[in-house]
Amino acid sequence: MATKANSFAHRTVVEVDPFIPADQQKGIHNRWHPDIPAYATVKPGEVFTVQCVDWTGAQIGNNDCSDDIKNVDLTKIHNLSGPVAIEGAEPGDCLVVDILDVRPFDKMPWGYTGIFELENGGGLFAREFNSKAAKAIWDFHGVYASSRHIPGVRFAGVSHPGLIGTAPSAELLATWNSREGALIDAHANSVPPVAFPPEPKGAYVGQDLPKDVMEKVAREGARTVPPREHGGNCDIKNLSKGSRCYFPVYVKGANLSVGDLHFSQGDGEISFCGAIEMAGIITFSCSIIKGGVEKFSMKQPMFLPSPVDPLYSAKLIFEGISVDVHGDGKQYNMDATVAFKQATLNAITYLMKLGYTREQAYLLLSAAPVESHVGAVVDSPNACVTMALPLGIFDFDILPKEEGLTRRDFGQCAIRSDGMV
């Protein structure tokens, strides 16, 4: 007979409500800084759960208008749960983080994918498309997602944290701010910006900190937008349940933080808010390898991806090379970013032949489990990058035919109230 004896529930170390603004809740922060103290402490080997709001902190609603995407306050992002200290972790150690589970809240079985404005966020094609805000709402049905804003598709998600990392040391933080500040100075008029400097406006730490400490965090804290040496916003879609992460430790306790949970994402997360963003619950267990930074010559994290992956074996693959064939035809030298963009544009224009709008195609390639690979970076002058679109996510045949493609009416995704796209 089963009894409660020797049965212990896993501890939840950060609890949040996905429907309350992040800056009204405890255990959340939106800057990286070594002076943010641990909100909770766990022992090595302990299984624990962390609850997370969506990355914007409840700024986006389940509706049919993208004005909330247009007006999102990016000074308040990303909202991370933590930090969580691991007993015994010291600078120079390797923190081993096992991701045991990632799931949405039962009371919030939906997520969203957004195209952000050129002047407020951007995205891979912000300048090419002169991006205007648009979004798709996705409903979750077990492991599957479907959207009223992008009909004709349904796919299994690989839920994962888009953002996870350890706290930086004071020295590492200063390095980030110095090198990114120099980049900003060199491209002062770039739209969208090449990087985001420290910004006191919107800075938040959901703890009772002394005023001088909070002011220092707001003044110096690194923005959470990019990935860095500690992990951060790496957006690796295969870091789902069953994954293992190896992070360098820079401060006592490591101070692990996590957020920006995704139900699904395509390689590249191309539209900036390109995954299916969700609020949810993630379960961890951590261990420590003493002196791991030196033992493994760690400059950045390492990852062991999950063995759990949707089985979409048949794919239509689009190639891209280092020539701007969708623009001015310029030849670039071994530029893999140009090649990736061309592969993506080839997929977008193909989907438009099937009847999807450009915005729907952009959102779909951001959110669905598409795969991108670097084919070659040795055959001058062209790098070759591919984008693979799974055939099984569509409820109709999308393959090329002698008679051409059948164009359908899929409507449009959620757009701005003024009708601009």
Side-chain angles (χ1 to χ4, degrees):
M1 176 180 175
T3 69
K4 293 182 180 180
N6 299 319
S7 296
F8 305 97
H10 300 149
R11 184 160 62 108
T12 298
V13 299
V14 180
E15 295 187 46
V16 301
D17 188 322
F19 301 120
I20 295 177
D23 58 7
Q24 299 175 24
Q25 303 194 59
K26 297 292 186 181
I28 293 174
H29 64 99
N30 61 13
R31 299 292 190 270
W32 292 113
H33 199 286
D35 291 351
I36 300 175
Y39 181 76
T41 301
V42 299
K43 297 180 182 297
E46 179 181 353
V47 176
F48 62 97
T49 64
V50 176
Q51 297 180 358
C52 301
V53 296
D54 81 281
W55 74 290
T56 71
Q59 295 187 59
I60 309 302
N62 185 344
N63 53 51
D64 301 316
C65 177
S66 67
D67 286 352
D68 48 8
I69 295 283
K70 174 179 179 290
N71 299 318
V72 69
D73 185 349
L74 294 180
T75 69
K76 296 182 176 182
I77 58 92
H78 297 76
N79 291 282
L80 309 180
S81 293
V84 178
I86 291 79
E87 288 185 7
E90 298 285 346
D93 293 344
C94 172
L95 182 68
V96 183
V97 180
D98 288 313
I99 300 174
L100 306 182
D101 194 23
V102 188
R103 61 184 179 86
F105 282 99
D106 289 339
K107 64 181 179 180
M108 192 176 179
W110 59 272
Y112 61 90
T113 306
I115 298 172
F116 273 50
E117 298 274 323
L118 171 63
E119 296 83 7
N120 190 34
L124 185 65
F125 298 114
R127 288 189 292 269
E128 290 89 341
F129 293 173
N130 189 22
S131 291
K132 301 294 188 293
K135 73 180 180 185
I137 300 296
W138 300 88
D139 296 310
F140 306 150
H141 306 274
V143 299
Y144 293 99
S146 60
S147 174
R148 62 185 181 270
H149 296 128
I150 308 178
V153 295
R154 177 177 180 264
F155 50 82
V158 184
S159 299
H160 62 278
L163 205 163
I164 181 172
T166 54
S169 64
E171 295 77 14
L172 184 59
L173 175 63
T175 297
W176 293 349
N177 287 339
S178 174
R179 74 189 185 201
E180 292 173 20
L183 183 67
I184 293 169
D185 291 343
H187 302 274
N189 299 317
S190 177
V191 179
V194 294
F196 295 86
E199 172 55 74
K201 178 177 181 274
Y204 178 72
V205 178
Q207 300 186 52
D208 296 324
L209 300 184
K211 182 180 178 182
D212 62 326
V213 175
M214 186 62 233
E215 289 177 347
K216 184 180 182 184
V217 169
R219 183 177 64 252
E220 301 175 351
R223 304 295 297 280
T224 60
V225 177
R228 299 184 179 96
E229 292 91 329
H230 68 142
N233 195 24
C234 48
D235 291 315
I236 299 173
K237 69 180 177 62
N238 296 100
L239 292 184
S240 56
K241 61 182 179 181
S243 298
R244 173 169 286 183
C245 311
Y246 301 87
F247 293 110
V249 175
Y250 300 99
V251 302
K252 183 177 180 179
N255 285 3
L256 179 72
S257 296
V258 64
D260 188 26
L261 301 189
H262 299 161
F263 186 85
S264 176
Q265 181 200 297
D267 282 339
E269 200 192 12
I270 59 175
S271 73
F272 185 74
C273 178
I276 300 181
E277 309 287 347
M278 72 175 190
I281 304 166
I282 186 166
T283 305
F284 292 120
S285 179
C286 298
S287 58
I288 302 163
I289 299 176
K290 303 303 292 183
V293 169
E294 175 63 26
K295 288 177 180 176
F296 311 133
S297 190
M298 292 185 74
K299 299 295 185 183
Q300 284 143 0
M302 301 180 292
F303 305 99
L304 182 65
S306 170
V308 179
D309 206 13
L311 184 61
Y312 293 113
S313 55
K315 299 167 185 175
L316 185 59
I317 297 177
F318 298 87
E319 177 191 295
I321 59 174
S322 307
V323 179
D324 186 8
V325 296
H326 287 271
D328 60 8
K330 180 179 178 179
Q331 173 75 64
Y332 291 82
N333 179 34
M334 303 302 292
D335 193 320
T337 300
V338 170
F340 176 81
K341 293 176 81 169
Q342 298 309 302
T344 305
L345 287 169
N346 288 336
I348 287 174
T349 55
Y350 188 90
L351 289 168
M352 291 174 67
K353 288 287 188 180
L354 294 168
Y356 291 105
T357 66
R358 185 174 69 179
E359 295 74 32
Q360 288 174 317
Y362 195 9
L363 290 165
L364 177 59
L365 295 177
S366 297
V370 302
E371 293 186 348
S372 181
H373 296 284
V374 176
V377 288
V378 294
D379 302 318
S380 297
N382 287 327
C384 177
V385 176
T386 62
M387 174 166 283
L389 185 58
L391 302 182
I393 70 174
F394 296 91
D395 63 14
F396 60 98
D397 185 2
I398 71 164
L399 287 175
K401 296 178 177 60
E402 184 178 353
E403 63 273 19
L405 300 173
T406 300
R407 186 178 182 87
R408 295 166 169 82
D409 182 2
F410 295 111
Q412 175 60 295
C413 59
I415 61 173
R416 293 170 21 168
S417 59
D418 61 11
M420 293 189 67
V421 294

